[in-house]
Amino acid sequence: MARKLSFRGAINEALRQEMERDKTVILMGEDIAGGTNAPGEQDAWGGPLGVTKGLQPIFGPDRVMDTPISESAFIGAAIGAATSGLRPVAELMFVDFMGVCFDQIFNQAAKFRYMFGGKAQTPVVIRCMIGAGFRAAAQHSQCLYPIFTHIPGLKCVVPSSPYEAKGLLAAAIRDNDPVMFFEHKLLYDVEEDVPEDPYTIPMGEANIVREGSDVTIVTLGRMVSLSKDAADLLAKDGIEAEVIDLRTTSPMDIDTVLESVENTGRLVVVDEAHPRCNIATDVSAQVVQNAFGALKAPIKMVTAPHAPVPFSPALEDLYIPSPEKIAAAVREVHAYA
Amino acid sequence: MTDAIQSVVMPKWGLAMQEGTLTEWHISEGDTIAPGQEICDIETSKIANALEATISGTVKRLVAKPGDTLPVGALMAVVVNGDVSDAEIDAFVKKFEDEFAELMAKAEASAPKAQSVEIDGRKINYLQMGQEGPAIVFIHGFGGDLNNWMFNQPNLSEKHRTYALDLPGHGASGKAVGDGSFAMLSGTVVKFLDAVGIDKAHLVGHSLGGAIAIAVAQAAPAKVASLTLISPAGLGSEINMDYINGFIGAQRRNDMKPVLSMLFANPELVTRDMVNEVLKFKRLDGVEDALKAISGSVFAGGKQANLLRDALAAVSVPVQIVWGTEDRILPVSHADGLGGNVTVTRAPNVGHMAHMEIASEVTKLIETAAAS
């Protein structure tokens, strides 16, 4: 039976159900319980935005571990535990802090299966928060999934809604490769119908969230709902946009994108990440290489500017792609003769 | 007189429906309407269907215009009995719109919600609508769920206690089905009748659910008042295994859409949302194994394993069968040569889903059976 659940609640439920299903699933991170083994309340925090709240009382401090404030240490420990039989889900708060543990992720976790000739596996999931709009300034607001998408050996998931988050996280935890799981902060309070039963959404399968025959919009994460809003605006002017949620950037389901572009001939890619070497450039390059003949207009990208996320609320609002900006790009591509 | 003015509102078809789009009125201002008359076409994100009137009177005002998308419960038309002035209608419309938000909040709170009972250690999910009158129990087919009856159950619930259940392995019921045998499925329905306190019910079964209804009538004849069977299984050995295996195997939209298209005479009825809902069901843990177990048991070797023609002939209560002549899953010829108490309606230009494709006709047939 489906009932309304928030993005935050959906992630919490996926963690709980996977921990019930498989005793080797453990959680690690800074303040994910917020008090474990300290005097007083044991589940004070549940992570900085309360996503893991309530799990420590169910599974205990051995499976829900508060770690020291040392990303290089606990991400390394999670990867090590994954190579020796556990399925850790490590929470690294903000993706902006990844810099201190790149070696563990890029050069260790991502390489083990390859360098040990397929004999090693690293079933770790690293969860983190992404995205602007939270008034958290330049060091807590980036969308750095393109950096991880660049690395062979990592899988990258950017969920767009509560239903998507629950099924994709369950799939990530059951996967035998390292998976980066990027949660947009502004989605945590978004609600929709989510089944109570556990389920998985396969990685590498894009989702057509709206059908249309005039222009294809390819997007991911929080930009999916903004792109749907843009499509609603455009529909009033008789422009039918098809909106594709990539769901995962690695593996990427480029076939669904190509099929749509072959039908519409026009493409807008919407990505909240900085515009250089991001998912929009990647999708654009693959479409140009594989479906050049189908294109009736130049591809347009709608992204944040190549600049740090501003602290000024007025500037931050301007920085993020909006339905109006997306609709304007679609109109331009649509009008191109 | 307050009830001299009545409203036609946006219906709620299925638990998930939030809004619908009026595509066409079949009535004009000044027309007289009667219950059961199709008054307009409505499209939801899942499917399009005609709305039947549940009231009678003169259509005084069409508030909604074709193309309007309205929330469930929103006013679409005003119907009157006797002399009512325009001013009174204006006041009615204004009052309705002023009170709409509050009304909807109340309706939301009292809306029927799915419930569950435990049978043989397995959760069985069901939706009850209507508290009084004879009981009607709806049994869906392979891969279906209780929402398959969304066009039939609400109307019938006005004068009947209606129950639509999710079979084991389906919908929100438990997904562990063991050997997936036909006896387990029909046994569950017999126990369901006891579990929810039904002494006697009119059974409505579709496809595999039709065969289950026959088996229930055979096993517990005292509990069954009539049978309405829509493209039932169990009356011949043929079954389109391309559909069954396609349904089990399809993981993606592009694979699932052609499979679901086999169900309907008009493949355009298969919408993006319908495909997505089916994929959502199929992604639940345990569903693929459940469907494989059931299919491996009831369609072993690509044939229907349970032939119930003799059992059906022995049923002493009224039996009616509705079968679309364009059914591509189970051939309409399986309805030939059935004697006894069986009435057969062969519906032209209808596929395997008569209860959705010609919903109002099927609802009327069920109502007639339940009235006798």
Side-chain angles (χ1 to χ4, degrees):
Chain A
M1 193 54 215
R3 75 287 185 230
K4 291 255 185 277
L5 198 60
S6 68
F7 191 75
R8 173 189 287 107
I11 291 167
N12 184 285
E13 186 164 276
L15 291 171
R16 178 171 59 72
Q17 289 179 340
E18 293 309 303
M19 291 179 82
E20 284 165 353
R21 183 178 172 272
D22 182 349
K23 294 231 174 322
T24 67
V25 177
I26 62 161
L27 309 187
M28 301 170 75
E30 293 157 0
D31 277 326
I32 57 167
T36 315
N37 289 346
E41 194 180 343
Q42 292 297 297
D43 187 40
W45 234 26
L49 293 182
V51 177
T52 47
K53 182 93 179 145
L55 296 176
Q56 192 269 350
I58 301 173
F59 299 104
D62 288 346
R63 294 184 67 194
V64 181
M65 276 180 269
D66 276 345
T67 64
I69 307 176
S70 174
E71 287 82 7
S72 44
F74 81 80
I75 293 294
I79 291 165
T83 59
S84 44
L86 293 178
R87 281 183 188 272
V89 181
E91 176 178 312
L92 192 132
M93 285 203 190
F94 299 91
V95 72
D96 314 69
F97 305 164
M98 285 287 181
V100 296
C101 46
F102 272 2
D103 179 67
Q104 287 82 340
I105 299 170
F106 289 178
N107 239 5
Q108 309 303 330
K111 303 291 192 289
F112 288 152
R113 178 188 289 283
Y114 176 75
M115 293 182 68
F116 289 107
K119 289 178 186 162
Q121 57 184 35
T122 313
V124 67
V125 176
I126 300 175
R127 294 177 42 238
C128 61
M129 288 186 273
I130 57 166
F134 202 63
R135 312 301 187 223
Q139 295 168 319
H140 302 80
S141 302
Q142 300 172 86
C143 279
L144 298 180
Y145 43 76
I147 294 179
F148 299 87
T149 307
H150 186 71
I151 308 293
L154 296 179
K155 290 179 177 166
C156 297
V157 184
V158 191
S160 61
S161 78
Y163 174 81
E164 297 286 316
K166 180 174 168 183
L168 286 166
L169 182 54
I173 293 170
R174 298 180 199 183
D175 199 280
N176 286 336
D177 286 316
V179 181
M180 304 297 302
F181 196 84
F182 301 96
E183 302 164 14
H184 200 294
K185 301 180 244 348
L186 292 199
L187 290 176
Y188 279 133
D189 291 319
V190 171
E191 292 191 343
E192 74 177 342
D193 281 346
V194 179
E196 287 172 28
D197 286 338
Y199 60 95
T200 55
I201 297 175
M203 284 188 261
E205 185 181 325
N207 186 24
I208 300 172
V209 295
R210 186 186 193 285
E211 283 176 340
S213 54
D214 295 329
V215 178
T216 301
I217 303 176
V218 174
T219 186
L220 72 171
R222 177 172 174 251
M223 294 298 117
V224 172
S225 61
L226 272 56
S227 297
K228 272 160 56 184
D229 292 346
D232 289 344
L233 291 174
L234 293 159
K236 288 180 185 149
D237 298 338
I239 301 173
E240 292 300 333
E242 181 141 294
V243 180
I244 297 178
D245 175 2
L246 286 173
R247 283 181 171 151
T248 59
T249 61
S250 189
M252 184 186 285
D253 178 9
I254 201 68
D255 288 348
T256 294
V257 174
L258 295 174
E259 227 171 81
S260 177
V261 172
E262 274 158 11
N263 185 30
T264 62
R266 298 168 199 271
L267 174 64
V268 172
V269 197
V270 184
D271 184 0
E272 193 186 319
H274 307 125
R276 302 291 319 282
C277 303
N278 69 359
I279 304 306
T281 61
D282 184 7
V283 169
S284 301
Q286 295 195 61
V287 168
V288 168
Q289 287 179 85
N290 297 299
F292 185 73
L295 288 171
K296 297 174 190 156
I299 297 166
K300 280 237 118 188
M301 304 196 302
V302 183
T303 70
H306 193 63
V309 180
F311 185 45
S312 149
L315 287 178
E316 187 179 19
D317 291 345
L318 275 177
Y319 177 95
I320 306 166
S322 64
E324 291 72 22
K325 282 184 205 163
I326 298 165
V330 171
R331 284 201 179 91
E332 208 173 306
V333 167
H334 185 251
Y336 187 93
Chain B
M1 271 180 58
T2 49
D3 59 351
I5 308 181
Q6 303 177 86
S7 53
V8 174
V9 301
M10 179 60 69
K12 187 168 176 68
W13 289 327
L15 290 176
M17 179 171 166
Q18 304 283 341
E19 60 178 28
T21 303
L22 171 69
T23 46
E24 191 182 357
W25 281 114
H26 298 310
I27 51 173
S28 307
E29 291 180 358
D31 287 359
T32 306
I33 61 167
Q37 182 179 343
E38 292 185 1
I39 54 177
C40 63
D41 288 336
I42 290 169
E43 202 173 281
T44 75
S45 55
K46 287 201 177 49
I47 199 165
N49 190 34
L51 175 67
E52 283 178 54
T54 54
I55 55 176
S56 58
T58 306
V59 180
K60 198 72 181 176
R61 189 168 300 171
L62 298 179
V63 181
K65 303 277 172 281
D68 286 356
T69 298
L70 301 167
V72 167
L75 186 64
M76 296 203 299
V78 180
V79 174
V80 304
N81 285 295
D83 278 341
V84 178
S85 71
D86 277 351
E88 283 176 280
I89 289 174
D90 288 343
F92 177 84
V93 172
K94 184 173 183 322
K95 187 161 179 278
F96 190 101
E97 280 164 5
D98 288 348
E99 293 172 357
F100 182 64
E102 197 185 333
L103 205 71
M104 280 306 99
K106 272 190 197 153
E108 178 80 6
S110 63
K113 290 190 176 61
Q115 307 171 59
S116 66
V117 287
E118 195 171 307
I119 292 170
D120 295 335
R122 186 186 297 116
K123 179 176 128 176
I124 296 297
N125 185 62
Y126 69 99
L127 177 67
Q128 180 183 357
M129 297 176 81
Q131 302 297 326
E132 286 174 22
I136 300 177
V137 174
F138 296 95
I139 310 163
H140 65 76
F142 181 83
D145 67 26
L146 59 83
N147 281 314
N148 293 167
W149 307 103
M150 63 185 169
F151 299 139
N152 321 105
Q153 194 182 6
N155 282 0
L156 290 164
S157 71
E158 289 183 14
K159 289 180 190 156
H160 300 86
R161 279 183 295 145
T162 66
Y163 301 79
L165 76 152
D166 285 335
L167 290 169
H170 290 75
S173 288
K175 302 301 182 297
V177 297
D179 62 357
S181 69
F182 185 71
M184 180 276 295
L185 295 170
S186 56
T188 299
V189 176
V190 172
K191 289 175 187 169
F192 173 79
L193 298 177
D194 288 332
V196 298
I198 298 174
D199 295 332
K200 206 176 182 82
H202 299 275
L203 300 186
V204 181
H206 169 236
S207 198
L208 178 61
I212 291 170
I214 299 170
V216 172
Q218 185 182 24
K223 290 191 161 295
V224 179
S226 74
L227 295 179
T228 300
L229 310 174
I230 299 147
S231 293
L235 303 182
S237 62
E238 271 173 283
I239 165 112
N240 181 348
M241 288 308 285
D242 287 347
Y243 174 76
I244 300 295
N245 293 330
F247 189 89
I248 295 171
Q251 310 286 354
R252 303 172 57 113
R253 275 166 40 86
N254 284 354
D255 302 329
M256 185 54 89
K257 195 164 179 177
V259 172
L260 295 182
S261 298
M262 293 185 217
L263 291 171
F264 299 92
N266 174 6
E268 282 176 20
L269 285 175
V270 179
T271 62
R272 185 178 61 82
D273 274 30
M274 187 190 291
V275 177
N276 281 346
E277 288 298 315
V278 170
L279 287 178
K280 279 186 181 181
F281 160 64
K282 287 208 56 216
R283 286 183 193 126
L284 296 173
D285 279 6
V287 165
E288 196 171 326
D289 289 345
L291 293 177
K292 279 183 182 161
I294 292 170
S295 164
S297 176
V298 302
F299 309 131
K303 288 195 180 100
Q304 295 194 52
N306 303 86
L307 296 183
L308 300 162
R309 289 181 82 93
D310 293 343
L312 185 63
V315 169
S316 59
V317 295
V319 179
Q320 59 178 341
I321 292 180
V322 186
W323 215 311
T325 59
E326 306 299 313
D327 193 329
R328 284 181 278 167
I329 311 300
L330 296 170
V332 65
S333 60
H334 286 186
D336 295 345
L338 297 165
N341 301 309
V342 183
T343 318
V344 180
T345 304
R346 291 176 182 80
N349 302 318
V350 170
H352 190 58
M353 305 294 282
H355 51 309
M356 299 182 99
E357 297 176 80
I358 46 165
S360 54
E361 284 91 333
V362 171
T363 300
K364 269 176 216 133
L365 288 171
I366 298 168
E367 193 163 26
T368 309
S372 61

